[in-house]
């Protein structure tokens, strides 16, 4: 039944040679890899204007408001320039590391282990928060429209997270098919917003207020630190840009070239949409409103709230809700790919390395879902409580990638290396500044948690790698040591009674091993009962005529497994652990609830032997027919 349900949810298993069908191109890549970055357009300008709200007075004239918003437009231009600097950095990373890994790969190989692992840690924090924040933001946006969802936000968050998980488990191409319409509808809506804003400005230039340098200089209360805070908040528009470099192998051949094309398409599209939202807000003097996002304000101003204009406004609002919700899909693609790269290098568990039935990193997708659900439930799906954790992690990752490109460019000195190094250094200054501002201004709001968690994660990853190295060393065979097939060995078969299961195990032991000894533990409420039990099993043993020595052990404390354990410990005085084999009889019940009716002596014994001793342990199952 479980297999049938699995096939119903995620589809039939794919063969390795069918991997080409699971890969994507630039068109589908926009739906899989970019929603996180594109969705940030829906709140990045709001986040900048949130900082400027203290400068805008309640009775300020529209011209003065436009002068204040001129700073947000200036911040937007700087962020767009930073986006293209990030493009140049990640374009180089994609070329140098076509197996994926992004900032983690360049940090590990060009800067050192700490930089790579710290970048990976912040990427993981960013990805898990992307799922939690994006879905929570989407549910918050849908809540006012659908009252039931508004009253059960936490439940809706959990259900939507599980739905997106299942869609991604079906495969990268399949998830792209689902999300393509939502992504391109959102892009079309914002472009339509920009075109309409230009047309309205031409038709009615008197309603438009363009800021002037003199007016911006005259703004009261505007300081450099306030501008930097605004800039740092606006940099949230860049979240998700790094995802393409983490997942290069999911693209069709040539994978690096297609990934670079998608990255350029993403940066151009993101910059255009961001300029439209910020520019429209500035020209129409629209300020931050905690209840109505700027995109909604702009659509209402440009299209109205009646008739066809209202329908267009609703479409824009719904498309914004959808892109916010499906932004989580970027993390479901990028994070498992990152974990796979780390597992290949020995920093994450090996079970995150391999692809599942549908040629996606199924274990990573499920693991990411569990972490994100824990965050969602722990923070009660409140976006404002999750956001402070977000900024520091994202911009630290950007800083590592930029620093890595500076070091690599200077080290190689190929072509116009000085120009590239200066560009990367400028990007490093901007991203590191944003990271520092987020860390300072939001330290008490939750940024401290990232600062504490990242070093702990780095230590954990290092310990995982050290464990794998120790395992390799411990398992490495010494070829100078000759094989000894004729060593003196002993095989023990624990027997509770003479039955089909125990005889089946005994026959297996006799067929495969030389020196076989049966061991039985008897107990009773009195010495007489113990003797009677011993006589009974010896009589049955004689009747069996197995030609095998039977050792009967009395247990005064009625503990079968413990007495057998003690017997094995005594045998270790005469044999090396690798020369002792324990063959454990086990009968398998036909129905699951039958297992609850039997003791687990054999399982307890096997667990103890596996965890505490170095002897060889074999289970010989006997299936009950009914």
């Amino acid at each position: 039944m479980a297999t049938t349900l699995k096939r119903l949810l995620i589809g039939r298993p794919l063969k390795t040679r069918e991997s080409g069908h699971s890969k994507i191109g630039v068109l589908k890549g926009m739906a899989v890899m970019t929603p996180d970055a594109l969705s940030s357009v829906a709140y990045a300008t709001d986040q900048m204007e949130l900082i400027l709200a203290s400068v805008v007075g309640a009775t300020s004239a529209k011209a003065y408001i436009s002068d204040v918003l001129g700073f947000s437009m200036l911040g937007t231009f700087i962020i767009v320039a930073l986006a293209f600097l990030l493009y140049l950095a990640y374009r180089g990373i994609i070329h140098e590391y076509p197996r994926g890994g992004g900032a983690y790969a360049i940090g590990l190989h060009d800067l050192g282990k700490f930089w790579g692992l710290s970048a990976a840690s912040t990427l993981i924090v960013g990805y898990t928060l992307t799922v939690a924040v994006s879905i929570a933001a989407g549910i918050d946006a849908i809540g006012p429209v659908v009252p039931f969802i508004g009253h059960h936000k936490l439940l809706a968050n959990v259900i939507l997270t599980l739905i997106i998980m299942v869609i991604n488990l079906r495969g990268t191409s399949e998830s792209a098919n689902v999300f393509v319409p939502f992504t391109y509808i959102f892009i079309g809506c914002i472009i339509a917003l920009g075109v309409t804003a230009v047309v309205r400005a031409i038709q009615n230039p008197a309603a438009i207020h363009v800021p002037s340098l003199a007016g911006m200089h005259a703004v009261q209360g505007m300081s450099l630190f306030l501008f930097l805070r605004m800039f740092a908040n606006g940099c949230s528009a860049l979240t998700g840009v790094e995802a393409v470099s983490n997942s290069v192998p999911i693209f069709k051949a040539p994978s690096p070239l297609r990934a670079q094309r998608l990255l350029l398409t993403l940066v151009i599209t993101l910059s255009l949409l961001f300029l439209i939202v910020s520019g429209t807000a500035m020209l129409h003097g629209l300020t931050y409103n905690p209840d109505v996002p700027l995109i909604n304000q702009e659509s209402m101003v440009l299209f109205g709230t009646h008739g066809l204009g209202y329908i267009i406004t609703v479409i824009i609002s719904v498309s914004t809700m959808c892109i916010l919700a499906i932004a989580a899909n970027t993390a479901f693609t990028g994070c498992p790919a990152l974990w796979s790269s780390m597992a290949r290098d020995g920093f994450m568990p090996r079970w995150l390395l391999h692809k599942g039935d549908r040629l996606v990193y199924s274990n990573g997708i499920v693991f990411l879902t569990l972490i994100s659900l824990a965050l969602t439930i722990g923070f009660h799906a409140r976006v404002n409580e999750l956001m402070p954790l977000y900024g520091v992690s994202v911009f630290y990752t950007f800083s590592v990638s930029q620093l890595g490109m500076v070091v690599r460019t200077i080290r190689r000195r190929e072509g116009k290396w000085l120009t590239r190094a200066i560009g990367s250094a400028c990007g490093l200054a901007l991203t590191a500044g944003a990271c520092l501002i987020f860390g300072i201004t939001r330290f008490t709001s939750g940024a401290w948690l990232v600062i504490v968690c990242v070093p702990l994660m780095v230590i954990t990853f290092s310990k995982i790698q050290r464990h794998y190295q120790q395992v390799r060393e411990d398992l490495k065979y010494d070829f100078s040591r000759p094989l000894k097939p004729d060593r003196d060995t002993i095989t023990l078969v624990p027997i509770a009674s003479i039955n089909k299961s125990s005889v089946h195990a005994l026959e297996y032991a006799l067929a495969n091993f030389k020196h076989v000894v049966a061991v039985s533990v008897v107990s009773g409420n009195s010495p007489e009962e113990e003797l009677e039990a011993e006589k009974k099993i010896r009589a049955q043993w004689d009747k069996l005529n197995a030609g095998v020595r039977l050792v009967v052990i009395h247990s005064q404390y009625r503990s079968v497994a413990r007495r057998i354990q003690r017997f094995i410990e005594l045998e270790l005085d005469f044999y090396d652990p690798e020369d002792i084999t324990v063959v454990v009889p086990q009968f398998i019940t036909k129905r699951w609830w039958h297992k609850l009716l039997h003791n687990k002596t054999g399982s307890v014994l096997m667990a103890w032997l596996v965890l505490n001793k170095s002897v060889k342990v074999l289970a010989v199952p006997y299936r009950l027919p009914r």
Side-chain angles (χ1 to χ4, degrees):
M1 181 178 178
T3 304
T4 303
L5 181 62
K6 181 180 178 182
R7 294 289 162 260
L8 182 65
L9 288 175
I10 68 174
R12 68 173 182 85
L14 296 176
K15 297 177 181 178
T16 303
R17 66 171 179 264
E18 297 179 273
S19 60
H21 299 290
S22 66
K23 294 184 179 294
I24 58 175
V26 175
L27 181 68
K28 288 187 176 180
M30 285 293 289
V32 174
M33 303 302 300
T34 68
D36 181 20
L38 296 179
S39 68
S40 61
V41 172
Y43 54 78
T45 305
D46 289 82
Q47 291 296 309
M48 286 197 294
E49 291 200 5
L50 170 64
I51 302 301
L52 297 176
S54 60
V55 182
V56 179
T59 58
S60 298
K62 273 199 171 183
Y64 178 79
I65 292 175
S66 290
D67 286 333
V68 174
L69 297 184
F71 289 101
S72 70
M73 200 65 208
L74 177 60
T76 299
F77 281 120
I78 297 174
I79 292 167
V80 167
L82 176 58
F84 280 92
L85 290 175
L86 287 173
Y87 160 71
L88 294 176
Y90 282 109
R91 183 178 183 276
I93 293 173
I94 290 170
H95 175 73
E96 296 293 338
Y97 300 100
R99 298 175 69 183
Y104 156 72
I106 194 168
L108 185 67
H109 296 98
D110 290 284
L111 299 176
K113 181 177 175 181
F114 170 79
W115 292 98
L117 293 182
S118 59
S121 302
T122 53
L123 271 171
I124 292 168
V125 171
Y127 276 134
T128 52
L129 286 170
T130 293
V131 177
V133 169
S134 300
I135 293 178
I139 295 298
D140 285 347
I142 298 172
V145 181
V146 184
F148 178 80
I149 292 178
H151 294 134
H152 301 85
K153 286 184 179 180
L154 185 58
L155 177 62
N157 271 269
V158 172
I159 292 174
L160 185 55
T161 302
L162 294 175
I163 290 173
I164 296 178
M165 178 196 74
V166 171
I167 291 173
N168 278 274
L169 286 174
R170 292 187 64 87
T172 305
S173 183
E174 283 74 8
S175 66
N177 292 334
V178 174
F179 298 127
V180 158
F182 300 105
T183 304
Y184 286 101
I185 288 173
F186 175 75
I187 294 172
C189 285
I190 303 301
I191 291 175
L193 201 67
V195 171
T196 305
V198 171
V199 172
R200 291 292 175 88
I202 295 173
Q203 291 175 342
N204 187 15
I208 303 303
H209 296 276
V210 180
S212 63
L213 290 176
M216 292 174 64
H217 183 72
V219 171
Q220 298 294 317
M222 194 66 199
S223 64
L224 177 61
F225 182 72
L226 193 66
F227 179 81
L228 291 175
R229 282 189 63 192
M230 181 208 70
F231 166 75
N233 273 22
C235 282
S236 58
L238 302 176
T239 57
V241 171
E242 79 290 339
V244 178
S245 66
N246 292 329
S247 309
V248 179
I250 73 168
F251 292 95
K252 294 178 180 177
S255 300
L257 182 60
R258 290 184 187 273
Q260 289 172 342
R261 288 176 180 172
L262 175 61
L263 183 62
L264 179 60
T265 305
L266 167 61
V267 169
I268 292 173
T269 305
L270 175 64
S271 300
L272 176 63
L273 301 187
F274 192 25
L275 287 169
I276 288 173
V277 175
S278 295
T280 304
M282 180 193 68
L283 294 175
H284 291 274
L286 301 176
T287 58
Y288 173 75
N289 186 331
D291 299 318
V292 185
L294 275 174
I295 289 180
N296 290 26
Q297 292 185 52
E298 292 170 358
S299 60
M300 287 187 285
V301 168
L302 293 173
F303 299 110
T305 56
H306 301 284
L308 179 62
Y310 175 73
I311 295 175
I312 296 174
T313 299
V314 170
I315 292 173
I316 292 174
S317 299
V318 171
S319 70
T320 304
M321 299 174 196
C322 292
I323 199 70
L324 282 168
I326 68 174
N329 193 62
T330 301
F332 276 104
T333 305
C335 194
L338 171 65
W339 281 338
S340 176
S341 298
M342 295 178 68
R344 186 173 59 243
D345 295 329
F347 294 111
M348 288 290 278
R350 292 285 169 79
W351 46 268
L352 292 170
L353 175 61
H354 304 292
K355 295 182 178 181
D357 288 349
R358 299 290 295 180
L359 297 176
V360 293
Y361 300 111
S362 306
N363 292 333
I365 291 172
V366 174
F367 189 40
L368 175 62
T369 302
L370 295 176
I371 298 174
S372 301
L373 287 177
L375 282 172
T376 300
I377 295 170
F379 286 89
H380 305 287
R382 294 172 184 161
V383 177
N384 60 327
E385 293 186 15
L386 290 165
M387 279 303 293
L389 308 177
Y390 203 26
V392 177
S393 59
V394 170
F395 294 110
Y396 180 81
T397 302
F398 287 159
S399 301
V400 171
S401 65
Q402 294 286 354
L403 179 60
M405 289 306 297
V406 170
V407 172
R408 173 177 280 267
T409 303
I410 294 175
R411 185 180 295 159
R412 292 191 172 185
R413 300 188 181 186
E414 297 174 350
K416 299 179 181 179
W417 66 271
L418 185 58
T419 303
R420 294 199 304 273
I422 292 174
S424 296
C426 292
L428 171 63
L430 291 172
T431 55
C435 180
L436 186 62
I437 292 168
F438 263 111
I440 294 172
T441 59
R442 299 194 177 187
F443 183 82
T444 57
S445 301
W448 65 269
L449 189 59
V450 178
I451 297 171
V452 170
C453 285
V454 167
L456 294 177
M457 293 171 72
V458 170
I459 293 171
T460 302
F461 297 148
S462 298
K463 286 185 175 293
I464 291 173
Q465 187 197 40
R466 193 176 303 118
H467 165 74
Y468 281 128
Q469 289 173 343
Q470 291 172 348
V471 169
R472 280 195 296 270
E473 291 173 3
D474 293 341
L475 292 178
K476 187 177 181 181
Y477 184 72
D478 181 9
F479 287 94
S480 64
R481 176 179 178 272
L483 287 171
K484 296 181 180 179
D486 297 327
R487 290 186 304 182
D488 188 16
T489 62
I490 186 172
T491 302
L492 306 177
V493 184
I495 291 176
S497 63
I498 308 302
N499 55 50
K500 289 182 178 180
S501 177
S502 59
V503 171
H504 181 57
L506 187 63
E507 289 175 337
Y508 175 84
L510 289 169
N512 293 276
F513 303 99
K514 293 187 298 182
H515 185 192
V516 179
V517 176
V519 183
S520 182
V521 178
V522 297
S523 62
N525 295 322
S526 65
E528 290 76 14
E529 286 189 13
E530 289 184 12
L531 289 173
E532 187 63 30
E534 181 181 356
K535 288 180 181 178
K536 181 179 179 181
I537 195 168
R538 285 195 180 279
Q540 292 178 335
W541 190 257
D542 292 340
K543 189 176 179 180
L544 183 64
N545 194 24
V548 174
R549 183 165 70 96
L550 173 66
V551 177
V552 179
I553 305 172
H554 290 253
S555 175
Q556 299 180 23
Y557 295 98
R558 302 158 302 283
S559 177
V560 176
R562 189 175 300 171
R563 292 295 289 140
I564 294 177
Q565 292 167 10
R566 177 58 181 157
F567 181 80
I568 293 170
E569 287 178 341
L570 292 173
E571 292 297 324
L572 287 171
D573 293 337
F574 303 97
Y575 296 91
D576 291 332
E578 59 267 23
D579 294 332
I580 299 178
T581 303
V582 181
V583 178
V584 182
Q586 282 195 329
F587 62 85
I588 310 299
T589 56
K590 190 172 182 64
R591 302 185 184 278
W592 67 267
W593 60 271
H594 290 172
K595 298 176 183 178
L596 304 176
L597 307 178
H598 302 277
N599 60 41
K600 300 292 186 291
T601 303
S603 300
V604 171
L605 177 62
M606 289 183 63
W608 178 82
L609 290 170
V610 170
L611 295 174
N612 296 282
K613 302 299 174 185
S614 298
V615 301
K616 293 184 284 292
V617 185
L618 296 173
V620 180
Y622 179 81
R623 296 189 177 277
L624 299 177
R626 54 180 190 275

